[in-house]
Amino acid sequence: MARHSWRDADQHTGRSVGRRRRAAAAGVLAAAITGTVLTGTAFADDDGPTMTEGTPCTSDARACVDLATNRAWLIHDGKVTRGPVGISHGGQGKETPTGDFSVQWKDENHKSKEYDDAPMPYAVFFADGGIAFHEGNPKNPSAGCVHLAHDDAAAWYDDLQVGDAVEIR
């Protein structure tokens, strides 16, 4: 199901065009046909979030992951503040889920109950099933989590707060 099923895509840019923009365009057309003069802003631009430049994520995201390229970013107010950084993610049968999530909880010294108390330093949990950003070798696949190098994992842990938006693409 589309995230915003009421949106259409602009044929030229591929960007979504919001309901209000379509209504405003219809109003301008009607004014042109009838000879009416429009002044001021009749409708606010309701395109929703824009894309964060250089990432596959929207400006609403605080953490962004591109599974296809094994890269991740931290974002503030639609601007990249860290990244891209290298990551690894879940392998076949233990894929990292894609979609829009939010930070659920954090544990600086987490140990995995599922994997014999395996260390998960700087764990930032964002999806059901114990899926988190955490320190791990970014060259080895995970069991569904997003592995970050030590300094990056510490940065994700320090920067992200419960409720922050996470987009996995």
Side-chain angles (χ1 to χ4, degrees):
M1 182 167 139
R3 187 169 145 186
H4 297 288
S5 59
W6 54 268
R7 292 177 187 244
D8 295 327
D10 180 287
Q11 294 176 343
H12 302 290
T13 66
R15 293 186 55 179
S16 62
V17 178
R19 219 178 349 210
R20 289 183 187 160
R21 182 175 278 180
R22 287 191 306 274
V28 169
L29 180 61
I33 291 170
T34 63
T36 306
V37 176
L38 295 177
T39 60
T41 303
F43 297 94
D45 186 6
D46 187 27
D47 266 352
T50 58
M51 298 305 290
T52 298
E53 188 175 343
T55 78
C57 298
T58 70
S59 58
D60 286 347
R62 290 281 284 104
C64 173
V65 174
D66 185 348
L67 298 177
T69 63
N70 291 320
R71 298 183 305 168
W73 299 262
L74 288 175
I75 300 169
H76 282 269
D77 299 322
K79 303 229 182 305
V80 172
T81 58
R82 188 174 181 110
V85 303
I87 59 111
S88 66
H89 54 85
Q92 191 164 359
K94 296 184 184 209
E95 290 84 3
T96 301
T98 58
D100 298 340
F101 305 92
S102 62
V103 174
Q104 297 172 352
W105 59 291
K106 298 169 32 170
D107 185 354
E108 189 171 4
N109 298 300
H110 190 74
K111 304 239 187 249
S112 171
K113 292 178 179 73
E114 291 85 7
Y115 294 97
D116 298 322
D117 287 334
M120 296 172 60
Y122 304 108
V124 178
F125 294 89
F126 61 85
D128 293 341
I131 306 298
F133 294 107
H134 66 84
E135 182 180 341
N137 186 338
K139 295 181 183 184
N140 296 334
S142 73
C145 290
V146 176
H147 282 173
L148 296 156
H150 172 80
D151 290 347
D152 296 325
W156 258 245
Y157 184 85
D158 290 341
D159 196 58
L160 295 173
Q161 303 302 315
V162 171
D164 282 348
V166 174
E167 294 182 18
I168 310 291
R169 305 291 181 237

